[in-house]
């Protein structure tokens, strides 16, 4: 057994309520120059609900080893500890974490390795605890194969980083587990003791044989009983791959037991977030009270809930009759477990007990962007607010395309999947259809066409070749919805107006996009801002992906459109009727579009789009 206090002093039973001894980690560091001590006042350490002070004393969580300053531009080294062990046994490894080095949440992101295998990728302590200086621990069970005599534990930065480079570990416990023969003696693993008399040996062998036979018979009976009791209509098989270790996570009052690598993926296995008990979710939503329903989608209903720790959450419960099923459920978990960004909705946890498929997200008080544009009685958004929301959503998509370890294509960008919090911060949601993008030696991903009618990239539909530019096309449709306050597809309108992409581009090419904007924006939107916004949407809707901008370019242009709007407001305090800076009233003959829902389909929107040159305004004042 090893019990180690990283970056801290020797802790005696006087410092531990369970009278344990925690040794300093210096003797186990393979390269002391790679780490440096950090510490905090032990009294500032918080123990979240469900994490007992008996797990480890606050002195353990108040100290840590973090990456030392190597005085190099790109720090790629790991901090490594080594522990001598016996092969043929399993070892329980408990890692203690507490973010005592970050000034704000979600800025400390790192990887964890055990014996050079990836245990956790893009691990963010504060995303689990939802606060700084809060105790958190993870348990791993490691099989030490023959020929190995040590366990290596490492923490270090991920390969692709959008956060400051750092990694920490506060405490570590390594505990040897008994062999199948209930022995901790390495000499007895897999052997019958040689000093047992022959007669006793024979009895021992017979006892083992009959015990095995009896155990096997009992196992068969139990398996049969379980099969008949819980037999249900055949479900889609879960893909599982062999794992060399498993881990157990505890936080709050819930427990998680997951086999690493149980999700089929092209990347290493990762920590999959908090697993919530069905009873806790049911209690948080008052047994899925219909009065708490805040939305309905292709996957199922979404409920507002309050967890035991007081956190308000959105609970998405899968509908067994839905066309979206296990694959989308697992994709959502796999994707969001790897992502952490201010403009992406955070996954709090999930549940798959009792054949349920439930996802739990952070609660977005503002709801979907669509209901703030049309189809509700909510006050209309100002043009500045609409631009800020579009910029936030663009930042989230830009992170998916460039900031994650692999390119991630959302594949279902639309106004119902852009959610707003209480501060009007826009966050991209619903990753059930998402796909990993092409690698360096690929130009696209060949896949079946999926998406939503009216937002679907026509090139992707025709060729079944998916790229991140498919998201750019869908986002172009979102921009037009924001500008015109009408659905992407509205069959109740005259034929030429049904598809917003076709209708808006008709007016954009004529230079008269102002004719179809939301009437609530009349008199408040700058012509320069509208012109830039229209050019950006037009380029997003180009027929071929190669002609569309990246999300980084879209983001730049939206920010520039916002600056043009702000500059116009500040320079035009008093407007007269002859001013050319603002859009005049819209003629009364332009019809007001009503709300119309769109469904997820596998068809082409067949939008005709412009291939004009994308205008880049280079104005130092605008920057």
């Amino acid at each position: 057994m090893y019990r180690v206090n990283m970056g801290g002093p020797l802790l005696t039973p006087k410092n531990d309520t369970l009278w344990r001894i925690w040794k300093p980690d210096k003797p186990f560091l393979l390269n002391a120059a790679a780490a440096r001590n950090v510490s905090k006042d032990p009294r500032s350490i918080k123990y979240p609900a469900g994490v007992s002070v008996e797990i480890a004393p606050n002195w353990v969580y108040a100290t840590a080893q973090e990456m030392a300053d190597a005085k190099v531009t790109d720090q790629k080294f790991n901090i490594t500890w080594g522990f001598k062990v016996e092969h043929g046994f399993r070892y329980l490894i408990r890692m203690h974490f507490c973010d005592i080095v970050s000034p704000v949440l979600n800025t400390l992101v790192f990887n964890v390795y055990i014996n050079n295998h990836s245990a956790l990728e893009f691990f963010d302590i504060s995303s689990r605890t939802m606060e700084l200086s809060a105790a958190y621990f993870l348990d791993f069970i490691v099989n030490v194969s023959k020929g190995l005599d040590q366990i290596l534990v490492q923490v270090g930065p991920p390969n692709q980083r959008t956060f400051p480079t750092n990694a920490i570990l506060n405490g570590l416990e390594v505990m040897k587990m008994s062999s199948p023969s209930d022995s901790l003696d390495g000499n007895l693993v897999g052997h019958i003791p040689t000093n047992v008399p022959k007669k006793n040996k024979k009895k021992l062998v017979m006892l083992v044989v009959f015990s095995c036979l009896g155990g096997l018979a009992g196992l068969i009976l139990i398996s049969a009983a379980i099969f008949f009791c819980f037999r249900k209509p055949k479900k889609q098989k879960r893909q599982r791959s062999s794992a060399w270790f498993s881990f157990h996570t505890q936080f709050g009052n819930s427990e998680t037991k997951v086999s690493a690598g149980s999700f089929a993926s092209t990347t290493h296995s990762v920590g999959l977030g908090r697993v919530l008990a069905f009873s806790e979710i049911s209690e948080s939503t008052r047994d899925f009270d219909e009065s708490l329903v805040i939305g309905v989608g292709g996957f199922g209903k979404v409920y507002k809930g309050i967890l035991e720790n007081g956190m308000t959450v959105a609970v998405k419960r899968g509908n067994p009759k839905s066309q979206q099923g296990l694959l989308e459920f697992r994709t959502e978990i796999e994707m969001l477990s790897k992502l952490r960004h201010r403009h992406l909705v955070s996954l709090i946890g999930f549940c798959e007990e009792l054949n349920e498929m439930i996802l739990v997200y952070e609660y977005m008080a503002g709801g979907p962007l669509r209901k703030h544009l049309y189809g509700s009685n909510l006050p209309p958004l100002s043009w500045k607010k609409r631009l800020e929301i579009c910029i936030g959503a663009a930042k989230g998509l830009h992170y998916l395309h460039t900031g994650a370890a692999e390119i991630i294509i959302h594949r279902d960008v639309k106004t119902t999947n852009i959610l707003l919090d209480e501060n009007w911060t826009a966050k991209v949601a619903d990753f059930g259809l998402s796909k990993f993008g092409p690698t360096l030696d690929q130009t696209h991903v060949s896949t079946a066409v999926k998406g939503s009618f009216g937002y679907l990239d026509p090139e992707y539909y025709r060729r079944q070749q998916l790229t991140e530019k498919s998201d750019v096309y869908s986002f172009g449709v979102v921009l037009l919805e924001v500008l015109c306050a009408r659905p992407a597809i509205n069959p109740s309108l005259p034929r030429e107006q049904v598809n917003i992409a076709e209708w808006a581009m008709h007016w954009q090419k004529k230079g008269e996009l102002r004719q179809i904007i939301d009437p609530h924006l009349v008199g408040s939107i700058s012509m320069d801002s509208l012109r830039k916004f229209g050019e950006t949407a037009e380029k997003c809707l180009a027929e071929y992906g190669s002609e569309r901008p990246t999300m980084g370019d879209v983001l730049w242009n939206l920010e520039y459109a916002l600056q043009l709007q702000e500059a116009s407001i500040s320079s035009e305090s008093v407007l007269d009727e002859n001013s050319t800076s603002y859009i005049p009233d819209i003629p009364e003959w332009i019809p007001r579009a009503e709300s119309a829902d769109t469904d997820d389909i596998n068809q082409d929107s067949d939008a005709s789009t412009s291939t004009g040159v994308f205008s880049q305004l280079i104005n130092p004042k605008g920057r």
Side-chain angles (χ1 to χ4, degrees):
M1 178 189 293
Y2 298 94
R3 189 168 281 119
V4 186
N5 181 24
M6 271 58 183
L10 173 70
L11 299 181
T12 66
K14 294 180 180 179
N15 310 109
D16 192 315
T17 54
L18 295 182
W19 306 287
R20 294 167 294 194
I21 295 176
W22 298 77
K23 295 181 179 179
D25 68 313
K26 288 290 185 184
F28 308 103
L29 269 172
L30 298 192
N31 182 9
R36 66 180 173 197
N37 302 347
V38 288
S39 61
K40 195 169 185 177
D41 186 347
R43 292 171 296 183
S44 66
I45 302 301
K46 300 180 279 288
Y47 288 86
V51 179
S52 168
V53 293
E54 274 74 37
I55 294 297
N58 57 0
W59 283 92
V60 171
Y61 291 113
T63 61
Q65 291 284 16
E66 70 170 358
M67 293 177 63
D69 185 3
K71 302 188 186 306
V72 294
T73 305
D74 190 14
Q75 300 193 148
K76 292 184 177 180
F77 59 87
N78 298 325
I79 309 174
T80 306
W81 295 267
F83 303 90
K84 293 292 182 182
V85 294
E86 284 189 87
H87 67 78
F89 286 90
R90 293 188 305 161
Y91 285 80
L92 172 66
I93 298 179
R94 173 167 291 179
M95 296 186 184
H96 298 273
F97 296 100
C98 185
D99 190 349
I100 60 174
V101 299
S102 299
V104 294
L105 296 173
N106 308 130
T107 55
L108 177 63
V109 180
F110 56 93
N111 291 349
V112 177
Y113 307 92
I114 299 177
N115 279 354
N116 296 316
H117 287 77
S118 177
L120 293 169
E121 286 186 349
F122 295 96
F123 176 55
D124 176 5
I125 305 168
S126 62
S127 70
R128 309 291 182 92
T129 60
M130 300 303 170
E131 57 183 334
L132 298 175
S133 302
Y136 187 80
F137 68 93
L138 286 164
D139 286 352
F140 300 81
I141 296 174
V142 180
N143 293 314
V144 180
S145 57
K146 192 171 183 180
L148 293 179
D149 64 349
Q150 70 173 347
I151 289 177
L152 295 179
V153 175
Q154 298 172 298
V155 295
N159 292 329
Q160 297 186 18
R161 302 186 288 278
T162 55
F163 302 95
T165 301
N166 203 0
I168 68 168
L169 184 60
N170 302 73
L172 187 73
E173 296 175 83
V174 180
M175 289 169 275
K176 187 179 184 182
M177 302 175 69
S178 60
S179 66
S181 58
D182 291 332
S183 172
L184 291 170
D185 188 350
N187 295 322
L188 299 182
V189 175
H191 298 284
I192 296 174
T194 53
N195 59 343
V196 179
K198 259 188 180 178
K199 195 172 181 181
N200 290 344
K201 276 188 185 181
K202 190 174 180 181
K203 287 182 179 179
L204 182 60
V205 171
M206 294 296 291
L207 179 62
V208 170
V209 170
F210 283 113
S211 297
C212 291
L213 290 174
L216 181 62
L219 184 61
I220 292 172
L221 289 174
I222 293 171
S223 301
I226 292 174
F227 175 77
F228 286 111
C229 287
F230 295 97
R231 184 171 57 177
K232 296 238 174 178
K234 203 168 186 182
K235 288 179 67 179
Q236 181 180 345
K237 280 188 177 179
R238 296 181 185 178
Q239 288 183 305
R240 291 200 174 268
S241 59
S242 59
W244 70 280
F245 65 84
S246 62
F247 67 84
H248 155 262
T249 308
Q250 181 168 323
F251 172 64
N253 294 319
S254 66
E255 249 184 19
T256 305
K257 292 185 180 178
V258 183
S259 291
S262 62
F263 288 76
S265 170
T266 57
T267 62
H268 294 108
S269 57
V270 298
L272 297 172
R274 179 181 174 190
V275 174
L276 298 165
F278 179 78
S279 57
E280 182 179 359
I281 295 175
S282 179
E283 184 179 348
S284 73
T285 58
R286 300 202 297 265
D287 292 329
F288 301 98
D289 190 333
E290 289 297 311
S291 66
L292 297 177
V293 174
I294 56 177
V296 180
F299 184 81
K301 293 182 180 179
V302 183
Y303 300 81
K304 181 180 179 180
I306 301 178
L307 298 179
E308 292 178 348
N309 60 8
M311 179 186 294
T312 303
V313 294
V315 178
K316 185 192 287 188
R317 188 185 191 188
N319 181 356
K321 298 179 181 178
S322 169
Q323 293 181 351
Q324 296 184 30
L326 185 62
L327 180 60
E328 286 78 7
F329 176 71
R330 290 188 174 277
T331 300
E332 185 99 358
I333 296 170
E334 183 180 14
M335 292 294 179
L336 283 178
S337 296
K338 298 178 181 183
L339 304 173
R340 190 66 54 187
H341 192 271
R342 183 169 184 262
H343 293 286
L344 299 181
V345 172
S346 297
L347 179 70
I348 304 300
F350 63 96
C351 171
E352 52 180 343
E353 287 181 33
L354 307 174
N355 294 314
E356 292 276 357
M357 292 186 294
I358 300 174
L359 297 165
V360 181
Y361 307 90
E362 62 174 314
Y363 178 65
M364 301 294 287
L369 171 60
R370 176 176 295 184
K371 77 175 187 178
H372 293 273
L373 299 174
Y374 53 84
S376 70
N377 296 321
L378 295 174
L381 299 173
S382 67
W383 179 238
K384 180 181 177 182
K385 183 64 66 180
R386 297 186 200 204
L387 284 172
E388 290 172 343
I389 290 169
C390 291
I391 288 170
K395 286 180 178 179
L397 291 172
H398 180 51
Y399 170 75
L400 291 180
H401 292 175
T402 63
E406 295 182 66
I407 294 173
I408 294 175
I409 303 172
H410 187 279
R411 215 164 44 145
D412 200 18
V413 178
K414 54 186 178 180
T415 48
T416 51
N417 287 340
I418 297 173
L419 306 182
L420 307 174
D421 67 10
E422 65 277 6
N423 299 316
W424 299 97
T425 301
K427 300 193 181 188
V428 180
D430 200 341
F431 291 79
L433 297 181
S434 299
K435 295 279 289 184
F436 287 110
T439 57
L440 292 175
D441 57 344
Q442 296 176 318
T443 59
H444 63 271
V445 177
S446 296
T447 180
V449 176
K450 289 188 179 181
S452 296
F453 191 67
Y455 301 89
L456 203 59
D457 171 14
E459 184 181 43
Y460 168 41
Y461 175 77
R462 290 194 304 267
R463 307 174 67 179
Q464 298 189 10
Q465 295 180 350
L466 181 68
T467 71
E468 58 269 32
K469 296 298 182 71
S470 298
D471 281 350
V472 174
Y473 182 92
S474 301
F475 190 70
V477 179
V478 168
L479 295 181
L480 296 180
E481 278 190 83
V482 169
L483 178 66
C484 303
R486 55 148 287 185
I489 300 293
N490 191 342
S492 65
L493 294 174
R495 183 177 179 182
E496 67 274 10
Q497 301 179 32
V498 168
N499 187 313
I500 193 174
E502 293 180 351
W503 180 235
M505 289 305 100
H506 166 75
W507 289 100
Q508 170 66 15
K509 290 172 185 176
K510 293 172 63 174
E512 296 290 334
L513 188 58
R514 63 183 185 177
Q515 298 291 339
I516 62 169
I517 67 171
D518 182 0
H520 293 105
L521 298 177
V522 173
S524 65
I525 181 171
S526 160
M527 278 291 291
D528 290 336
S529 179
L530 174 66
R531 189 177 298 111
K532 189 61 180 173
F533 189 87
E535 289 174 355
T536 305
E538 180 181 9
K539 195 60 182 179
C540 288
L541 295 172
E543 184 176 359
Y544 300 105
S546 59
E547 298 174 352
R548 299 172 198 150
T550 64
M551 282 308 306
D553 292 332
V554 174
L555 175 59
W556 188 93
N557 282 277
L558 289 175
E559 289 176 334
Y560 190 62
L562 177 61
Q563 290 171 3
L564 290 171
Q565 177 69 15
E566 291 175 335
S568 180
I569 292 174
S570 62
S571 63
E572 297 284 344
S573 56
V574 178
L575 302 176
D576 56 53
E577 293 182 358
N578 297 322
S579 173
T580 58
S581 297
Y582 284 82
I583 297 172
D585 290 343
I586 296 177
E588 295 181 358
W589 59 267
I590 296 294
R592 173 68 175 160
E594 299 298 327
S595 172
D597 293 332
T598 59
D599 298 320
D600 292 347
I601 61 152
N602 294 334
Q603 296 184 20
D604 181 17
S605 63
D606 197 27
S608 62
T609 54
S610 168
T611 58
V613 178
F614 188 49
S615 172
Q616 290 286 352
L617 300 181
I618 305 174
N619 186 331
K621 293 182 180 179
R623 292 292 281 179

